[in-house]
Structure formats: C-alpha cells, structure tokens
Amino acid sequence: MRAARLITMVLLLQSRTSMTAAELARELEVSERTVTRDAQALAEAGVPVYADRGRAGGYRLLGGYRTRLTGLARGEAEALFLSGVPGALREMGLADAAFAARLKVSAALLPSLRDASRTAAQRFHLDAPAWFTDPETPPLLPEVAEAVWDDRRITARYRRGGQEVERELEPYGLVLKAGVWYLCARATRAGVFRVYRVDRCTAVDLHEERFERDEEFDLPAFWAEQAERFARSLLLAEVVVRLSGEGVRRLPYAVDPVSARAALAAADAPDGQGWVAVTLPVESEEVAHAQLTALGPEVEVLSPPGLRALFARDAQRIARLYAP
C-alpha cells in the first residue's frame, strides 16, 4: 500500500511544478504528517524530492527528474488505453495526436505489457450514438475543440429558435451525449456557465487572447446538474395511472427513468389485485400517451380525463381490429 502511494506521489510531483503538503495529502487521502514522512522516504531512496519552506512553499522534484511507466500493472495499462474514445478523438481532429501518444506510452512500457492496447481494444468498444441514428460530425467541432484545449476565447454565432445570436464565450469543456456534441462555456458578459449544442454553431472565431480557467469548475458535476435540470424542466404535467406488477417493472423503460423511480418510491402499497397507483410527472399528455402506450394492458390511466378517454378510444379501435 505504501509503495503504491510513494509511486503516486512521485507521479503527481512529476506532472506538476510544485504541490503543497495539503494538496498532496488531499490527493493521496492521507495526513500532512504522512506526506512529510513519505517525502523523506523518497529522498532516502534517491528520488530528489525538495521541500520549499514558507507560505508559498511546497514539494517539487529537482533537476527535471522523470520516472518511467515501468511500475504499471497489466490492468492499469489496459485501462489507460481504454481511456481514449477513438471516434470522438477523430471528430475533434485529435486522432493523430492520440495515435502518437499511444505509441510513446507503448514504448515506455515493459515488453510484457506492450500488447495492452490491442488486448483492451479487442475486448471493449464505446459506441456513443443511440440506436437507429446516423449522427453527423458538427463541421465546427475541431475549431471548438482547439479553443477548449488552448483556453482561448471564442466569438460564436449560434442558432437559437428562428434567429442567430452572437456570443463571446470562454469554452471550458465538450460533452458527447448520445451522439450529440455539447459545449459547456461561460458567457463573457453574463459571467454564467451555459450549455450550447455545437451543431447549432454557424461560425466560430478563435481569439488570440486566452482566459484564466476557474479551477473550481467541475465538468462532470456541471453536466450532471444541467442534464437533470433540463430533464426536469420538461416534466410540466402529471398523470395518475395504475400499474400491474409487469407494468411496474417496465415503467422505467417507457418514461424518464429518474421520474419513474421517484414516482414508484412514493406510491402506496399494491391493491388487492396487485396493482399500484402512481402519480407520474410527464412532459405533456401527448407525450404520455405515446410513452404509456408501450405498456399495453399493464397500465390503466386514471387521470386526467382527456388522456383516459384517449386510451379508451385506442382500446376500442384495437378491439375492432382483432374482433372475430
């Protein structure tokens, strides 16, 4: 355990100019006293770890010290090669850079681990787009990706509704969701973070000026919050339904799964026939009709009356179609 921690400490110091004891303790999940002891152990083992004293002090490696990746286990090496998404890298114009990086990492590995890229690629593949879709790569994605990598401000023309708007943005990150690329950026004037679909950009001008990133910004956390907020913003209506046991099982596959699970958790106990009454948030009665139809006879709509009448009409039409 300690050996792995010492290696991690060296790699952290190798990847950054300097780190304080508090920063190292947070990354390694140990106390600052343990960091001090580990730094001393590394120095005794010949690793040139140097401690700068004072308020702005910290630990750093002297003389451009580098360590090779010979300490990687097979599982770690294979996970490393899994971390890239070939299709996404190609769309962002980074396929050549990723290929060169993989070659360099492979050359640094022990001979027994150099097939890690092949074994990982033959066992796992990420296909990001949803089924029955043929997504197109946004033509301006490479320019947006370049701005994200270089922390460069951009001026973007963006289709919103039936008009085009122009925004000056600080592009923080890109997200690929179900085959669609989204840009998470801070609007320079408003100073707030927003999400933009890259395929709706009609022009992107990169500025020479770079912006200073907010180190507190967490892209995965920001995206998760925005995605949940967007999903909930669509659920503006409610329907009350009865579900059979099979309907309960299939409900999360027919409607928004988060809303389905929350509605089922708040439901009363099953009735004498084993059916459960559920109040379900939905986008609209029209959408609810399309989604709940997939449950067939495993669902009964109780309200609103208009939606119940719609299902009653469907049932009568189906009965006529299948009558002897």
Side-chain angles (χ1 to χ4, degrees):
M1 180 70 178
R2 190 189 187 199
R5 190 175 70 240
L6 292 175
I7 292 173
T8 302
M9 184 174 178
V10 173
L11 292 175
L12 284 170
L13 293 174
Q14 182 174 298
S15 62
R16 307 182 193 182
T17 305
S18 176
M19 295 183 70
T20 66
E23 291 171 337
L24 283 167
R26 187 166 54 251
E27 292 281 355
L28 299 172
E29 297 182 349
V30 296
S31 67
E32 292 186 31
R33 182 174 297 179
T34 299
V35 168
T36 301
R37 288 198 297 265
D38 286 352
Q40 184 177 354
L42 287 171
E44 292 173 354
V47 178
V49 177
Y50 180 77
D52 290 317
R53 305 297 180 186
R55 176 179 294 181
Y59 291 94
R60 59 189 176 90
L61 294 173
L62 294 180
Y65 178 85
R66 310 291 292 176
T67 182
R68 290 192 172 187
L69 294 175
T70 51
L72 282 178
R74 168 165 289 279
E76 294 169 332
E78 290 173 345
L80 176 65
F81 285 105
L82 275 176
S83 63
V85 184
L89 291 170
R90 183 173 58 252
E91 291 180 6
M92 289 189 292
L94 298 172
D96 291 343
F99 177 71
R102 284 194 295 270
L103 283 179
K104 291 177 181 178
V105 172
S106 295
L109 292 172
L110 290 171
S112 61
L113 299 179
R114 287 180 185 165
D115 66 337
S117 61
R118 182 183 60 81
T119 58
Q122 292 304 318
R123 286 164 174 78
F124 300 97
H125 175 69
L126 176 62
D127 185 8
W131 287 105
F132 313 118
T133 60
D134 188 18
E136 296 183 0
T137 302
L140 296 173
L141 179 61
E143 287 86 347
V144 175
E146 180 181 349
V148 169
W149 281 114
D150 289 346
D151 295 339
R152 292 170 61 182
R153 284 192 173 90
I154 62 172
T155 298
R157 292 195 62 80
Y158 186 80
R159 291 194 306 273
R160 190 177 66 182
Q163 61 180 349
E164 281 193 0
V165 297
E166 186 173 281
R167 295 288 184 267
E168 185 174 308
L169 304 173
E170 297 175 354
Y172 268 67
L174 285 163
V175 175
L176 177 60
K177 170 73 170 179
V180 179
W181 285 96
Y182 296 89
L183 171 65
C184 301
R186 179 162 58 186
T188 304
R189 284 187 181 177
V192 295
F193 288 96
R194 294 195 174 104
V195 176
Y196 305 84
R197 281 185 58 148
V198 178
D199 60 0
R200 292 180 182 169
C201 292
T202 59
V204 174
D205 294 324
L206 275 69
H207 299 195
E208 291 299 325
E209 177 189 5
R210 286 176 166 80
F211 63 91
E212 185 174 343
R213 294 180 69 91
D214 180 355
E215 296 301 328
E216 298 297 320
F217 179 78
D218 184 332
L219 179 60
F222 172 76
W223 175 257
E225 179 185 347
Q226 293 297 310
E228 181 178 355
R229 181 181 301 173
F230 173 73
R232 294 195 179 282
S233 71
L234 297 177
L235 306 179
L236 302 177
E238 283 187 347
V239 300
V240 180
V241 299
R242 289 177 71 237
L243 297 163
S244 68
E246 178 63 13
V248 169
R249 187 188 70 81
R250 289 165 48 187
L251 183 66
Y253 302 97
V255 301
D256 176 69
V258 176
S259 297
R261 286 191 288 268
L264 291 171
D268 294 331
D271 61 20
Q273 298 176 317
W275 285 59
V276 177
V278 170
T279 300
L280 186 68
V282 294
E283 185 173 345
S284 65
E285 290 187 27
E286 181 181 1
V287 172
H289 176 242
Q291 292 176 331
L292 294 174
T293 296
L295 299 180
E298 309 303 331
V299 62
E300 177 191 0
V301 175
L302 301 179
S303 69
L307 184 60
R308 181 177 174 86
L310 200 57
F311 272 86
R313 185 202 66 185
D314 291 348
Q316 293 168 359
R317 292 179 59 192
I318 291 173
R320 286 196 297 269
L321 285 174
Y322 288 96

